[in-house]
Amino acid sequence: MIHEGPSTMAQCGALVAESRSAEVRGLRRCFIRMFRRHAASATIVALAASAFVAASLEQAIGAGSRAATLRIAFNADNPLLTSLDPFQVYWIEHRVVLRNVVESLTDQDPTTGKIIPWLAESWEAGADGASYLFKLREGVTFSNGEPLDAEAVKTAFDADKAFLAASPGAFGAAYLEGYDHAEVIDPHRIKIVLSKPNAGFLQATSTTTLAILAPESYKRSAKERSLGAIIGTGPFVLASYTPEVGLELVRRKGYGWASHAVDNGGEAYLDRIEVRYVPEASIRNGQFTLGETDILWPRDPFSEADIRVFKGKGAAIASRSLPGPAYNLYPNVAGGRLLGDPGLRKAVQKAIDRTSYARTVYSDDFPVVQGVLDVTTPYFKSEKEKLAYDPDGAARLLEATGWTLGKDRYRYKNGKRLSLLYVLWSKETAGDLLLQDQLRKVGIELKLSFLVPGEMVTALSAGKYDLVGLYLTRGDPIVLQSVLDPRFAPTGSRAAARNAFPPEISPAAEKLFDAGLVATRDDDRARAYGELQDLLIDNNLAFPLFERVWQAALSSKVSGFAWTAEGFATLGSVRRTP
């Protein structure tokens, strides 16, 4: 499916297209007809993009080969948006790839969360928090030979702004929030001017979303960039991309300006990386155990049984909690829906056994979720005491609000069963069934309804749901605005954000969102986001289910794998032995 400009179907998945299910066959069937309609034009654009990449490839990689190829198996390609354009991409697997092709003004230390130099060797923030003066690193070039200079950075920011003007619901909107213009001071100094303070902007400059492409890339159309016409400064060059099949990266000759967060500051140790999209977990796992894949990198954490099998083959398991929201369910409190009742929301919160969820669905050592945010997110605040499992307390609350047990062990009020509708972006998982069973124990019926994207947009817009899961990955708590603030949420999930707060709480939430956005001091940001996390849990407006842990299985031939702050990987430091 080709995306250029705002599309309801594409935007509907911007928050949740990082789907937690390995089963995307339903989505694929839904979109295959639309993909075929675009096939002819997509082929033409793909050929143009391939020719564009090939033109810079010979210069970038140089001659000779060290015959080291790494093979990675990911989950399915994005069924909603066919794009590798950094400003459009939200699909986390694509962002892993991009992190090794395109680079950013700054980086984020994966241990401390601090923003550190990268393409910019230093910067100064304006006193009002509405401008940044960046001094660029000298000697950096794009893989087509163009120099990284202030004009190139200005071109990148202005191009992103222009794209956003044409496509207001683009994923990069929250990252670029407030950008007004860029002033070139000299070839290696550039001033970024915001129309208003944006406390998350500096962190945004460390992400793939605001990565700097070569000026030549912005001469291509959005479609061409989506299909691979992107040139960066990174240690690898994108050699090919076939949607729904895979892609290939090749080592760039002469690279030598990695961030200090990266172990290998020079040329990549690998010559080539082959990525394949494999939707079926059983096929992915089989390929890995047979030695046909070097890194097995699914979306869902592995089961305890899978880990035993992989380790029996000599594999290592790399894990990291992804920054941003935990996997939370958000209630629809609008339109007279049942969860508009604060007592019922509190009962649901008490009925969830999060320790059992982590141990049963994943493994005995899987971390138990502690709050609205994952633990790797700056300004994370633990709320674990408020999330204690208390089924007896839940039962008392339900009785107090008039819901009495019937003979079938479900609760009723005025002859109506207590039934909640949980709409799913993917087919039901073991975790969904476990949650259904936990709520059943206190007399709540949880109906599970898998909706394809078009149906999901309709359901959210019409308010025909009680619970929905939403999340994004970003190493800054400002990401909560992209999930829950209707002023910033992407088009397709904006309706869910509008339904997330009761009228009496909405003004307080908006005030805290704004306080976190404009705060220029760390303690002010910590206070604003701490109070926002409290507000969500104290009012039971988020139901954390599990910590979003990303795992990769590494064969015994792989070494040097390391996570970035946002849960990606710097593959230039990876080695593969024969």
Side-chain angles (χ1 to χ4, degrees):
M1 178 176 170
I2 305 302
H3 170 80
E4 188 174 43
S7 162
T8 299
M9 297 295 279
Q11 293 303 324
C12 75
L15 278 171
V16 292
E18 299 177 30
S19 166
R20 59 197 175 95
S21 172
E23 302 179 33
V24 298
R25 289 171 296 185
L27 291 176
R28 288 165 61 87
R29 285 195 297 270
C30 172
F31 280 89
I32 192 66
R33 291 188 297 274
M34 283 182 286
F35 185 86
R36 285 171 177 163
R37 292 192 200 114
H38 293 284
S41 61
T43 300
I44 294 170
V45 175
L47 289 172
S50 297
F52 172 72
V53 171
S56 64
L57 201 54
E58 182 177 354
Q59 177 181 359
I61 64 176
S65 171
R66 288 177 286 183
T69 297
L70 183 76
R71 300 162 300 173
I72 299 175
F74 278 138
N75 192 10
D77 198 356
N78 190 344
L80 301 171
L81 175 62
T82 299
S83 182
L84 289 178
D85 181 3
F87 193 67
Q88 300 183 58
V89 165
Y90 52 80
W91 201 247
I92 194 168
E93 289 84 356
H94 287 173
R95 292 159 73 187
V96 169
V97 170
L98 287 169
R99 184 70 295 169
N100 293 277
V101 176
V102 299
E103 297 179 321
S104 307
L105 290 176
T106 65
D107 197 5
Q108 188 170 17
D109 188 289
T111 302
T112 67
K114 299 288 188 182
I115 304 303
I116 60 176
W118 198 353
L119 297 181
E121 62 181 27
S122 63
W123 58 87
E124 297 176 13
D128 59 356
S131 67
Y132 291 87
L133 178 63
F134 292 95
K135 186 177 187 300
L136 303 179
R137 192 169 181 168
E138 297 187 26
V140 177
T141 59
F142 295 97
S143 60
N144 66 346
E146 290 184 88
L148 174 85
D149 57 19
E151 287 289 351
V153 174
K154 176 177 170 57
T155 296
F157 275 90
D158 287 348
D160 288 343
K161 181 179 179 179
F163 183 86
L164 190 58
S167 307
F171 174 67
Y175 293 73
L176 200 64
E177 173 64 20
Y179 173 72
D180 187 78
H181 68 279
E183 300 173 3
V184 174
I185 308 301
D186 60 39
H188 293 99
R189 288 190 301 159
I190 185 168
K191 184 178 183 179
I192 303 295
V193 180
L194 309 179
S195 60
K196 56 185 177 181
N198 176 356
F201 182 76
L202 187 61
Q203 188 276 336
T205 67
S206 74
T207 66
T208 55
T209 307
L210 296 190
I212 310 301
L213 305 186
E216 179 65 23
S217 293
Y218 298 109
K219 296 177 182 178
R220 315 299 289 196
S221 70
K223 279 187 178 181
E224 289 173 313
R225 288 198 301 276
S226 289
L227 290 171
I230 55 173
I231 295 175
T233 59
F236 289 95
V237 177
L238 178 65
S240 65
Y241 168 50
T242 304
E244 301 191 55
V245 178
L247 56 82
E248 185 176 30
L249 304 182
V250 294
R251 175 177 56 89
R252 181 185 171 186
K253 182 181 179 181
Y255 177 81
W257 42 81
S259 145
H260 291 305
V262 178
D263 289 338
N264 175 26
E267 290 186 23
Y269 298 132
L270 300 165
D271 283 313
R272 193 174 301 273
I273 299 173
E274 296 175 356
V275 173
R276 292 293 175 262
Y277 302 114
V278 185
E280 295 292 340
S282 59
I283 295 176
R284 283 197 308 269
N285 292 358
Q287 290 172 341
F288 183 73
T289 55
L290 290 173
E292 298 172 3
T293 297
D294 301 308
I295 298 181
L296 175 62
W297 209 338
R299 181 65 63 86
D300 287 342
F302 298 118
S303 70
E304 196 161 15
D306 286 337
I307 291 174
R308 283 198 299 270
V309 171
F310 300 153
K311 287 186 174 181
K313 294 288 185 177
I317 306 298
S319 300
R320 182 175 175 87
S321 290
L322 294 172
Y327 195 85
N328 303 315
L329 300 188
Y330 298 100
N332 178 2
V333 300
R337 303 294 295 195
L338 290 175
L339 289 174
D341 178 356
L344 178 54
R345 293 199 304 272
K346 189 171 184 178
V348 170
Q349 195 79 277
K350 288 178 174 291
I352 300 173
D353 185 349
R354 294 164 178 87
T355 299
S356 175
Y357 194 107
R359 303 292 182 264
T360 304
V361 178
Y362 299 118
S363 64
D364 286 343
D365 58 356
F366 194 86
V368 178
V369 67
Q370 298 182 47
V372 175
L373 297 174
D374 280 342
V375 296
T376 50
T377 314
Y379 309 113
F380 158 80
K381 184 174 184 178
S382 176
E383 308 273 359
K384 62 181 180 180
E385 290 81 8
K386 300 175 185 177
L387 299 176
Y389 179 49
D390 182 11
D392 293 337
R396 288 193 296 270
L397 282 166
L398 292 170
E399 289 287 344
T401 53
W403 293 99
T404 58
L405 277 175
K407 293 181 180 180
D408 57 3
R409 308 305 296 171
Y410 285 112
R411 293 185 178 271
Y412 291 82
K413 181 192 288 187
N414 300 325
K416 183 178 179 180
R417 178 185 285 184
L418 177 49
S419 181
L420 302 177
L421 177 62
Y422 173 20
V423 289
L424 307 173
W425 294 88
S426 57
K427 293 182 180 179
E428 61 189 36
T429 65
D432 298 325
L433 296 175
L434 177 60
L435 177 65
Q436 186 181 55
D437 184 62
Q438 290 179 353
L439 295 188
R440 182 187 296 118
K441 289 177 180 178
V442 299
I444 300 173
E445 178 184 42
L446 184 66
K447 293 182 177 179
L448 306 176
S449 178
F450 164 53
L451 304 178
V452 296
E455 295 172 334
M456 180 66 81
V457 170
T458 299
L460 296 181
S461 298
K464 294 182 177 179
Y465 71 99
D466 294 301
L467 293 165
V468 66
L470 303 170
Y471 67 88
L472 276 174
T473 298
R474 182 176 174 183
D476 191 280
I478 202 170
V479 69
L480 286 172
Q481 289 194 273
S482 297
V483 178
L484 292 174
D485 188 341
R487 299 170 298 171
F488 292 88
T491 304
S493 55
R494 193 168 296 153
R498 283 196 296 266
N499 296 334
F501 294 100
E504 66 274 15
I505 296 176
S506 186
E510 187 171 304
K511 183 177 179 180
L512 290 172
F513 280 131
D514 291 344
L517 180 64
V518 302
T520 56
R521 291 163 47 93
D522 279 350
D523 55 352
D524 291 336
R525 294 198 82 203
R527 184 181 305 109
Y529 286 117
E531 291 179 7
L532 180 58
Q533 292 170 76
D534 285 341
L535 180 144
L536 289 168
I537 296 301
D538 291 346
N539 292 281
N540 301 292
L541 297 171
F543 303 109
L545 288 187
F546 61 91
E547 186 89 0
R548 289 192 305 118
V549 175
W550 212 11
Q551 294 180 326
L554 315 176
S555 81
S556 58
K557 298 179 179 181
V558 173
S559 62
F561 182 93
W563 298 102
T564 69
E566 293 200 316
F568 311 147
T570 50
L571 300 175
S573 299
V574 171
R575 298 177 187 266
R576 182 190 183 277
T577 58

